[in-house]
Amino acid sequence: MTTSSCVFNGADLDDCCSNVFALTDLCGLKWKKFVHAGHKLPLLCVLDDPILSSFSAALAQDILCSWRSISPPSHKPRPGTTKFTSSKEFWVFWYGDEPNLTGIVSSQLKASTQGCWEDGLPHEPRCMLFKALHNLLERCLLSKRFVRFGKWFLKPNEKDNAKSEPSDHLSFSFSFFVHGESSVCAAVEIQQHPQFRALTLDDLACAATKPEGLQGQCQAVSCKVSS
């Protein structure tokens, strides 16, 4: 049945909007987990951590990867233990042939476990895959001058007196889930936030001349940006 009049009632997919997007498919996915090969050496610098240095090198090569800190069950962390001094795992994901990780994965690490989609995707590698996808989105947004506050990505104003559209004050957060048997989707949450900008050296110099210090300068900047 057809009609000469066109009525937009939202029943057609062309009239609909969605905040859910398909990112990738799990079919053909493979992964490998790396841990410390032996006794963990004390670190003089965070950049010397083999997990973090391997993660940074893999990101630079656009390899899908993530890391996390771990602690044994029923283990109470020692005083002074932080996320960067605790034990960690480094996960790498790929499709097709395994990427050449020579010069990327530190020699202080060893492969602990590996798997593929055909054998099933347990909860642990699924969570690390979602984290790896979030890392790629974060890297893309940071390259476009967004900044991250917690789970939110925002873009600061370039100048105090810059006139901007309401769309410039939108923040984004992402969550991931598997739809059906193998489709990995991202749900985007959007909210509006107040205007803000990064502090400059001039702000710090001005704060040094005020009794309230940096707090007073931040309040002055906030009023100026929002006006």
Side-chain angles (χ1 to χ4, degrees):
M1 179 177 179
T2 60
T3 177
S4 58
S5 62
C6 183
V7 179
F8 297 97
N9 57 8
D12 193 282
L13 286 179
D14 292 337
D15 305 328
C16 299
C17 296
S18 174
N19 67 329
V20 176
F21 304 90
L23 291 182
T24 186
D25 198 274
L26 294 177
C27 294
L29 179 70
K30 302 174 184 178
W31 64 87
K32 184 177 290 188
K33 179 176 73 173
F34 294 88
V35 296
H36 289 274
H39 180 68
K40 186 179 178 182
L41 300 176
L43 299 177
L44 299 178
C45 176
V46 172
L47 298 179
D48 295 332
D49 190 302
I51 293 287
L52 299 183
S53 61
S54 300
F55 171 72
S56 177
L59 273 187
Q61 297 298 321
D62 294 326
I63 295 176
L64 192 61
C65 61
S66 58
W67 71 274
R68 68 172 181 174
S69 57
I70 58 174
S71 58
S74 303
H75 173 74
K76 293 184 179 180
R78 298 177 180 177
T81 300
T82 66
K83 184 177 182 179
F84 296 104
T85 58
S86 61
S87 298
K88 305 177 187 67
E89 298 173 346
F90 174 54
W91 292 69
V92 177
F93 300 87
W94 70 91
Y95 294 89
D97 297 332
E98 181 176 354
N100 183 7
L101 300 177
T102 303
I104 296 178
V105 176
S106 171
S107 59
Q108 300 179 43
L109 303 181
K110 66 177 181 180
S112 172
T113 58
Q114 61 184 30
C116 61
W117 162 247
E118 288 76 9
D119 298 331
L121 185 65
H123 176 74
E124 186 179 43
R126 179 183 302 184
C127 292
M128 297 307 294
L129 171 64
F130 291 169
K131 190 173 182 179
L133 292 172
H134 193 276
N135 289 336
L136 286 184
L137 290 174
E138 178 178 3
R139 188 181 181 198
C140 176
L141 289 173
L142 293 182
S143 69
K144 299 182 182 298
R145 300 194 302 276
F146 281 82
V147 295
R148 181 178 177 180
F149 287 97
K151 70 173 186 176
W152 297 99
F153 293 93
L154 315 87
K155 179 176 285 188
N157 285 2
E158 298 294 334
K159 298 180 180 179
D160 289 348
N161 57 355
K163 293 184 179 180
S164 54
E165 299 295 330
S167 59
D168 293 334
H169 311 309
L170 298 179
S171 53
F172 310 87
S173 69
F174 303 92
S175 58
F176 304 91
F177 63 94
V178 176
H179 175 68
E181 294 185 357
S182 60
S183 296
V184 179
C185 300
V188 184
E189 184 179 354
I190 303 174
Q191 71 174 13
Q192 196 166 14
H193 63 83
Q195 298 185 54
F196 76 103
R197 69 164 176 82
L199 292 175
T200 64
L201 293 177
D202 291 338
D203 293 321
L204 298 179
C206 187
T209 64
K210 294 185 176 182
E212 303 86 354
L214 186 58
Q215 181 178 0
Q217 178 63 13
C218 289
Q219 291 176 348
V221 170
S222 177
C223 293
K224 189 175 182 181
V225 170
S226 59
S227 60

